[in-house]
Amino acid sequence: MTDTFTRIPARTAEIGGGVPVARMLPSRHRRTIGAWCFLDHAGPARFAAGQGLRVGPHPHTGLQTFTWMLEGEVLHRDSLGNEQVIRAGQVNLMTAGRGIAHTEESVAGETRLHTAQLWIALPARVAGMAPRFDHYPDLPRWSEGGAEAVLLAGAFMGRQSPVLVHTPLVGVDWHAPRDAALTLALDPAFEYGLVPLTGPATAQGQALAADELLYLPPGAGTLRLELPAGTRALLIGGAPFGEDITIWWNFVGHGKPYIAQAQRDWQAHSERFGEVRGFDGPRIEAPPVPWAP
């Protein structure tokens, strides 16, 4: 069955403040894993106080931004008026729905950043919902086969994450303080992706380097996972999304006309996205939509 696996190498991107990231989704190899449609791994990074992450006001539609913080502290502001610092071991979830804008920046005096930032595509039935923001400081944690697990989203091994999602999916962070070997029960209806964030790992007999994503199609009932001491790996999965979506810039939508309209609305300072208050810098302008006049 190993010939059905897909190994997805990361490509290098950059987020505000010059923080380099490894981007694994979307890629030419794979656009989505369940409803997960974007995966960036930022850090571990070190920088001088006063530097670090700084992303000006920008919009989103049709998705949930999902931030899993591993090191450092980042301040989130959005056009609903929310201000929330996210710290290590916490999740921020922003549901864009029909439209929202937000900023992200390292807090004053911070010198570290290590985070996984993902997007979850919203199905058509809720894609136009009102935007909202949720902060989750407490998540299910347990030990398994010598590894420490945190359930980030969905249900797994009899546990349920409190994080609000709209499709069947799962996300689990695995950290090995010492060498760990475990066999995990999977849902055969789900597709999965496993990526080591720090250190190497072996999954289903496949040796993986850091920031190399292994895609497993539906059908697998177990996952054999070996993590050397110090390795941290992220497991994501979900039922195949089953809807055609367009992902462009910061927008997810059901069709190119929707995306083109969102771009026009942002450029026109439409009330659709609101205004982020408290950030002392310019907003990010949208590039031209390549398929629209």
Side-chain angles (χ1 to χ4, degrees):
M1 188 174 174
T2 57
D3 59 350
T4 65
F5 299 159
T6 303
R7 303 169 74 99
I8 301 175
R11 65 188 192 277
T12 301
E14 189 174 286
I15 54 179
V19 176
V21 303
R23 180 163 297 166
M24 286 147 278
L25 286 179
S27 79
R28 63 183 180 86
H29 305 281
R30 193 81 209 160
R31 303 293 290 173
T32 59
I33 296 177
W36 301 102
C37 64
F38 182 92
L39 170 55
D40 267 4
H41 175 216
R46 301 290 184 270
F47 40 80
Q51 299 182 4
L53 183 68
R54 183 171 169 81
V55 183
H58 61 281
H60 289 290
T61 63
L63 59 85
Q64 294 175 293
T65 62
F66 184 104
T67 302
W68 167 231
M69 187 61 60
L70 297 167
E71 283 187 87
E73 297 185 0
V74 168
L75 173 62
H76 161 98
R77 292 188 177 98
D78 63 44
S79 52
L80 299 178
N82 295 297
E83 292 192 11
Q84 177 66 57
V85 173
I86 181 173
R87 298 178 172 87
Q90 301 179 347
V91 163
N92 273 358
L93 183 79
M94 187 181 74
T95 303
R98 61 176 176 262
I100 195 171
H102 75 136
T103 65
E104 295 173 291
E105 57 184 320
S106 296
V107 301
E110 184 58 77
T111 60
R112 301 169 300 156
L113 179 69
H114 189 196
T115 182
Q117 295 192 312
L118 303 99
W119 295 354
I120 304 170
L122 291 173
R125 61 182 171 80
V126 294
M129 68 184 291
R132 60 180 288 169
F133 175 80
D134 296 278
H135 174 67
Y136 298 95
D138 299 307
L139 298 161
R141 298 171 181 269
W142 74 102
S143 297
E144 191 78 31
E148 298 173 350
V150 184
L151 180 56
L152 305 179
F156 194 74
M157 300 185 72
R159 296 167 176 84
Q160 178 69 51
S161 167
V163 173
L164 174 69
V165 295
H166 298 274
T167 55
L169 53 74
V170 68
V172 188
D173 177 90
W174 296 94
H175 176 251
R178 60 184 186 277
D179 291 352
L182 50 162
T183 298
L184 306 177
L186 302 183
D187 185 339
F190 278 20
E191 54 189 353
Y192 291 90
L194 188 283
V195 57
L197 300 180
T198 57
T202 301
Q204 302 296 66
Q206 304 287 304
L208 300 172
D211 294 326
E212 184 178 18
L213 176 66
L214 183 69
Y215 169 74
L216 291 77
T222 58
L223 172 64
R224 303 185 310 280
L225 185 59
E226 298 175 27
L227 304 175
T231 289
R232 181 180 297 277
L234 181 64
L235 176 70
I236 60 173
F241 191 56
E243 298 183 20
D244 289 331
I245 56 172
T246 300
I247 305 172
W248 179 82
W249 195 49
N250 293 314
F251 303 127
V252 171
H254 290 73
K256 289 183 176 181
Y258 178 94
I259 298 294
Q261 184 61 56
Q263 188 266 3
R264 290 192 294 267
D265 289 346
W266 176 249
Q267 292 303 96
H269 294 250
S270 167
E271 292 182 359
R272 172 181 183 177
F273 296 105
E275 181 180 348
V276 182
R277 302 187 183 279
F279 184 84
D280 61 348
R283 71 182 213 148
I284 300 174
E285 299 301 325
V289 177
W291 61 82

